[in-house]
Amino acid sequence: MAENKKEKLQLVDLVGIGNLLEHLVMEGAISCEERDKIIKRIAKDNDFAEHTLSVLAGYQRREKEVLERTSRKNTDMPQQYKPDESHVSLTDIVRAHSDDTPGYVIQSWLRSRNTLAFLDLWEKENNPDYRESGYKELLKKKKAASFTLTPKLWISQTNAIGIVSKQGKAGGTLAHPIIACEFASWLTPEFKMLLLKLSLNRGWLK
């Protein structure tokens, strides 16, 4: 009989969690105190060292700091849109959770019609220069078995800003925290369970 081993999150997940929580603090959905309780609970359940919490998840960051960081991030949007420190590397998430090639895993995620519908909704809410016609065209093309949708193609066809593709040694695919959490939920059951607990059960923090 196989041992019932509890799966844990990886350190890279703290980046996405922290940025998502910062976004919720900025929106007024949760307080800084609630954010810190969430981070401490996640750290305890996954044996994360305390010194990693402030660096990766923004633990104990004051509301004033959150608002200042958000203000700096939005200065150049949407013209010349570039990833900032809030963006999460989908490439790193794959490397932490899968033995498969990151590019292949991300392309598999993009094959899902639900994924594209989610990205379409995010862009329509956040990107005034989004080309929905490009999204509809890609839906038609993906019906062909030989068609492969890559992050670069999604960006070029729709003028998307939620996903960014970087070249070079430190390159990869990065995404806004909300999109990164959607990706991590698709890839990692443990991450999906965590998000469900956060959204449905505030008592989980006690």
Side-chain angles (χ1 to χ4, degrees), residues 46-119:
N46 294 277
D47 300 325
F48 292 142
E50 188 170 343
H51 72 269
T52 65
L53 303 185
S54 61
V55 177
L56 299 178
Y59 178 64
Q60 293 186 331
R61 185 173 291 145
R62 294 175 299 176
E63 186 175 358
K64 181 180 178 181
E65 293 178 278
V66 172
L67 296 176
E68 287 176 350
R69 280 164 54 89
T70 303
S71 178
R72 290 198 303 270
K73 292 170 190 175
N74 292 335
T75 301
D76 299 325
M77 288 180 63
Q79 291 82 12
Q80 302 299 316
Y81 187 81
K82 297 179 181 179
D84 53 42
E85 68 267 29
S86 76
H87 276 63
V88 181
S89 172
L90 303 189
T91 302
D92 286 348
I93 291 175
V94 176
R95 287 173 178 158
H97 291 285
S98 174
D99 294 329
D100 293 326
T101 304
Y104 173 77
V105 175
I106 294 169
Q107 287 173 22
S108 297
W109 175 61
L110 289 172
R111 287 193 193 105
S112 169
R113 190 182 184 93
N114 284 343
T115 294
L116 295 186
F118 181 88
L119 294 177

Side-chain angles (χ1 to χ4, degrees), residues 111 113 116 133-149 153 156-157:
R111 287 193 193 105
R113 190 182 184 93
L116 295 186
S133 58
Y135 158 70
K136 293 178 179 178
E137 185 64 28
L138 288 173
L139 285 182
K140 294 177 183 177
K141 289 182 178 180
K142 71 183 292 294
K143 292 178 181 179
S146 60
F147 180 72
T148 299
L149 180 56
L153 183 56
S156 64
Q157 288 287 102

Side-chain angles (χ1 to χ4, degrees), residues 155-167:
I155 295 166
S156 64
Q157 288 287 102
T158 65
N159 202 32
I161 62 173
I163 291 179
V164 178
S165 183
K166 292 179 63 178
Q167 299 298 314

